[in-house]
Amino acid sequence: MLDKKTKGFIGECIAASFLQKTGFGILNKNWRHKKGELDIVAKKDDLLVFAEVKTRSTKMFKNRDAAVSPKQRNTIIRTAHHFLEQFHEPVKHIRFDILYLFDDGFSFEIEHVQDAFYPQLNEF
């Protein structure tokens, strides 16, 4: 059985591969700024996606909305803001997604939630 850190790393690699197969280029994985981290930053045309990856052993965890708490969402949004300050390519749209990966011990099932959350007007 894999430890949590290893399973998370594998999940992020699978999520990045999934995004690439849907036409995204991966700009960064595990991009850090002070107290925040972005699991995956991906770009497709003029869309920039900040993707949070949640890997679980079972598909039966109860409240998916609780998987990324309001505090975590705020941290992701603040960290994305810092990323954008350093990113020098034109972007018309940004999106915050969550990729849930469910591991049954043999394979991973992926659930991609686009526009999973939005920044408040005063956050961007």
Side-chain angles (χ1 to χ4, degrees):
M1 182 160 196
L2 300 173
D3 62 45
K4 185 177 179 178
K5 185 175 180 179
T6 303
K7 186 177 279 195
F9 174 78
I10 292 169
E12 288 174 0
C13 291
I14 292 169
S17 177
F18 170 83
L19 288 170
Q20 286 177 314
K21 288 178 185 173
T22 60
F24 283 91
I26 304 302
L27 300 178
N28 272 291
K29 286 175 42 182
N30 303 112
W31 189 86
R32 298 182 77 66
H33 183 270
K34 295 185 181 180
K35 296 181 182 178
E37 180 180 328
L38 301 170
D39 288 344
I40 299 173
V41 181
K43 187 172 187 281
K44 181 178 184 180
D45 301 322
D46 60 357
L47 171 65
L48 193 64
V49 170
F50 300 100
E52 179 69 9
V53 180
K54 293 295 178 182
T55 306
R56 298 290 187 259
S57 296
T58 177
K59 195 173 180 178
M60 300 304 290
F61 71 94
K62 294 182 182 186
N63 187 354
R64 292 194 182 140
D65 290 336
V68 181
S69 71
K71 183 178 178 181
Q72 288 174 306
R73 291 173 191 221
N74 289 336
T75 299
I76 293 166
I77 290 165
R78 273 195 314 278
T79 307
H81 181 75
H82 291 292
F83 181 89
L84 288 169
E85 287 177 343
Q86 297 178 20
F87 190 65
H88 299 292
E89 289 184 40
V91 175
K92 289 185 181 177
H93 307 284
I94 63 166
R95 194 172 74 198
F96 294 89
D97 294 1
I98 302 174
L99 284 96
Y100 296 100
L101 281 81
F102 306 102
D103 174 18
D104 65 5
F106 301 101
S107 64
F108 285 89
E109 181 181 332
I110 300 171
E111 182 180 326
H112 183 189
V113 179
Q114 298 178 6
D115 287 318
F117 56 93
Y118 305 92
Q120 300 299 316
L121 289 177
N122 62 347
E123 293 175 312
F124 261 84

